[in-house]
Amino acid sequence: MLHLLRTVALAAGTTVVLASCGGASGADDANAPLRIAGPFEIHSLQPAASSGLFTRLQVVETLVASDLEGQLAPGLSPAWSASRDQRSWTFDLPDAVTFHDGTTLTAAAVASSLRHAADDAASPLAEAPIRRIEEAGDDLRIRLTKPFPSLPAVLTHYSTAIHAPASYDGAGAVVEVIGTGAYRVTEATLPARVQTARFADFRGAAPGIEEVTFQSVPRAESRALLATSGQADIVFGLEPSGRDRVDATDGVAMVSTLQPRSLYLKVNGDHPALGDVRVRRALSLALDRETIAGAVLRERDLAATQLFPPSLPGWNDPDLAPLTEDTTEAKKLLRQAGLVGDKALRITLTTYPDRPELPALATAVQAAWEAVGVAVKVDVTNSSEIPARHQDGSLDVALLARHLALVSDPLVTAVDTFARNGSDWGVMNWHDDAVTDALATLQDGADDEERLRLQSVVSSTAHEQLPVIPVAWYRMNAAVTDRLDGFVLDPLEHSWRLSDASWR
């Protein structure tokens, strides 16, 4: 039985890492655990609230996966097909597969797990036009109320991962993570630690590494120390100074990949001043993105010229005039809006340290805005405060990092980002009928020419109206010990692909 503890103090979590990560390394013992550290906290065992940690650790699997290029690939389901009218999808299920508790994977178990996901408003599956999720003999069938071409892509999202019936309590909450993946959970200590072991009955090739330990480490300097001292084998979320220390250390190297992730400012459209597009444009024009990206991210090329990065063709519009700095025009627009002197704009900028570059970026944004006469208070707090302040209306501006393709089809994230009623990590108190209509038509299906036109409507309107203000694009990085072979970064973060890695 999974040993589940709840740890409240983050400082205690850091102490656990530093005390427990020593010991035999892969060079000394072929059976040594793989030790992973990162800034990601385990807030809940609920799939939609897990931030995908259990799919990244290959404990649970989604029906559909994605490859390193972002293309759909078999997951737990080896193949799927749609009816002629696109209102019924059938997903094949593999034979003779068992969950980690020894029970058999059945169509009934898969259907039940997906129904739980569809009932969770935080899952993109909840937004799919589902009429019924049912068994189809030994396979699974999802019936829809209307065509929804993005369904297989939605089923790549971590919230749709398949859990054993024993994972749920009577109210449908996940109390134990029991999946079908290459690794099974042996211990989970919320919010800081997960231990896994190789699942002997996994249907695929046996992983080369027997055990994996993940530890959440909130402080960036502590993560850098773990990477350079050999106390961890893979370390995610290093700030620039930490990356420099890794580059200067023997036995460990940085690996990186460009992600379809944007760092942007979420703006409250109901704020008396921020609801004025002139003010949002002024805040955008105040930003010297190249200098900020160069100073904080150490790559000037990561300066965002628009919301969608070039890694998302079709959504990234090469015809859009790039976002630029013009402080003279910014001050002019603020004067036109009456935000000068005693009426100067005063706002709170909320961000979080889970991604170590965000507090530094917030400080740079603060300096840029104060240079054009805007008073800014930076509040670095828990990431959960952004959706909480969105819901209670107290948010002014938030700086966040959003993966725009956590499901393989970026349309799904775009629909959430620009939802008419707003979304926790998207727009707030802003909507545009042309954007809403374009996204709805895209969801129903469109030919290639029409799809590109509608995507351009979304991109160009967001570019002009700036309900979210892009700051930078993102390169994911990790420090990896040279004792490890076969580790690759997945830009979509569907999986850490640990089963492909082995000790040298």
Side-chain angles (χ1 to χ4, degrees):
M1 181 65 68
L2 169 65
H3 176 54
L4 176 62
L5 301 173
R6 294 188 178 272
T7 303
V8 178
L10 295 183
T14 304
T15 301
V16 169
V17 171
L18 297 175
S20 67
C21 279
S25 69
D28 304 319
D29 182 358
N31 296 321
L34 175 67
R35 304 158 302 176
I36 304 174
F40 324 112
E41 291 183 352
I42 315 150
H43 295 294
S44 172
L45 297 183
Q46 288 300 111
S50 68
S51 298
L53 184 68
F54 294 102
T55 52
R56 295 178 196 176
L57 288 170
Q58 294 177 265
V59 172
V60 288
E61 299 177 273
T62 52
L63 285 182
V64 184
S66 59
D67 63 20
L68 293 175
E69 305 301 321
Q71 300 300 309
L72 296 179
L76 188 52
S77 172
W80 53 90
S81 60
S83 62
R84 186 182 298 273
D85 64 2
Q86 299 280 304
R87 292 172 184 260
S88 177
W89 289 78
T90 301
F91 294 85
D92 298 348
L93 296 178
D95 298 327
V97 170
T98 59
F99 287 105
H100 297 155
D101 62 355
T103 58
T104 301
L105 175 81
T106 63
V110 174
S112 177
S113 189
L114 287 179
R115 290 188 199 111
H116 285 301
D119 288 341
D120 190 335
S123 170
L125 193 62
E127 300 299 320
I130 294 174
R131 172 176 290 158
R132 191 163 59 251
I133 301 173
E134 61 189 16
E135 302 166 54
D138 292 332
D139 298 321
L140 178 90
R141 181 166 294 136
I142 300 179
R143 297 189 184 276
L144 306 173
T145 59
K146 63 179 182 177
F148 185 60
S150 296
L151 181 63
V154 168
L155 292 174
T156 67
H157 193 265
Y158 54 79
S159 64
T160 70
I162 305 304
H163 291 65
S167 294
Y168 302 93
D169 65 12
V174 172
V175 293
E176 188 170 350
V177 182
I178 307 170
T180 56
Y183 290 94
R184 59 182 178 83
V185 175
T186 56
E187 182 179 330
T189 305
L190 303 188
R193 183 177 174 84
V194 174
Q195 291 179 271
T196 69
R198 187 164 59 193
F199 178 41
D201 293 327
F202 181 58
R203 68 187 182 282
I209 292 173
E210 291 192 3
E211 296 181 0
V212 177
T213 298
F214 170 79
Q215 183 76 44
S216 176
V217 183
R219 295 176 61 85
E221 57 268 34
S222 297
R223 294 194 296 273
L225 175 62
L226 293 175
T228 56
S229 66
Q231 295 182 76
D233 304 304
I234 301 174
V235 179
F236 293 99
L238 294 174
E239 62 185 3
S241 62
R243 297 200 296 268
D244 290 344
R245 290 173 62 185
V246 168
D247 286 338
T249 301
D250 293 334
V252 61
M254 295 299 306
V255 296
S256 66
T257 181
L258 286 171
Q259 277 194 309
R261 184 187 295 275
S262 289
L263 312 181
Y264 61 72
L265 295 150
K266 168 190 173 81
V267 182
N268 184 354
D270 261 0
H271 186 282
L274 300 174
D276 187 335
V277 67
R278 295 174 299 179
V279 176
R280 299 196 296 272
R281 288 174 180 163
L283 295 179
S284 177
L285 287 165
L287 301 177
D288 182 349
R289 291 172 173 83
E290 285 194 7
T291 298
I292 291 173
V296 177
L297 304 177
R298 305 290 176 92
E299 288 189 66
R300 293 175 67 90
D301 289 346
L302 292 178
T305 60
Q306 57 182 287
L307 175 62
F308 294 98
S311 55
L312 296 176
W315 293 96
N316 178 275
D317 188 343
D319 294 330
L320 291 178
L323 297 170
T324 57
E325 180 198 27
D326 187 337
T327 55
T328 299
E329 181 66 14
K331 292 175 182 178
K332 176 182 175 182
L333 290 171
L334 291 172
R335 285 196 302 271
Q336 290 177 359
L339 299 175
V340 294
D342 294 341
K343 296 182 179 180
L345 179 59
R346 297 177 179 274
I347 54 178
T348 297
L349 171 56
T350 303
T351 193
Y352 51 94
D354 301 39
R355 296 196 176 272
E357 61 280 345
L358 289 180
L361 281 172
T363 301
V365 169
Q366 177 188 40
W369 285 352
E370 290 184 340
V372 296
V374 177
V376 183
K377 174 187 175 183
V378 173
D379 183 13
V380 180
T381 183
N382 293 329
S383 58
S384 58
E385 282 300 303
I386 291 178
R389 294 176 189 181
H390 173 106
Q391 295 300 326
D392 67 19
S394 64
L395 188 71
D396 291 340
V397 181
L399 176 63
L400 57 95
R402 184 157 211 206
H403 202 305
L404 299 173
L406 268 180
V407 301
S408 297
D409 185 353
L411 171 62
V412 177
T413 306
V415 168
D416 179 75
T417 301
F418 298 106
R420 177 180 287 273
N421 295 322
S423 67
D424 288 347
W425 301 99
V427 299
M428 181 177 181
N429 300 314
W430 178 93
H431 86 273
D432 181 273
D433 288 339
V435 169
T436 301
D437 292 345
L439 291 170
T441 303
L442 284 166
Q443 283 186 294
D444 290 339
D447 60 32
D448 290 347
E449 183 176 350
E450 180 71 351
R451 184 174 66 252
L452 288 173
R453 185 187 71 80
L454 293 170
Q455 289 172 337
S456 179
V457 169
V458 175
S459 299
S460 61
T461 304
H463 199 67
E464 295 164 3
Q465 296 292 316
L466 294 171
V468 297
I469 301 173
V471 178
W473 298 322
Y474 190 78
R475 183 184 295 278
M476 181 172 67
N477 64 78
V480 180
T481 176
D482 63 7
R483 302 187 302 269
L484 192 65
D485 265 340
F487 176 76
V488 295
L489 284 177
D490 177 359
L492 297 188
E493 293 188 271
H494 183 84
S495 166
W496 283 333
R497 301 176 183 268
L498 304 177
S499 61
D500 296 334
S502 61
W503 293 120
R504 285 187 176 173

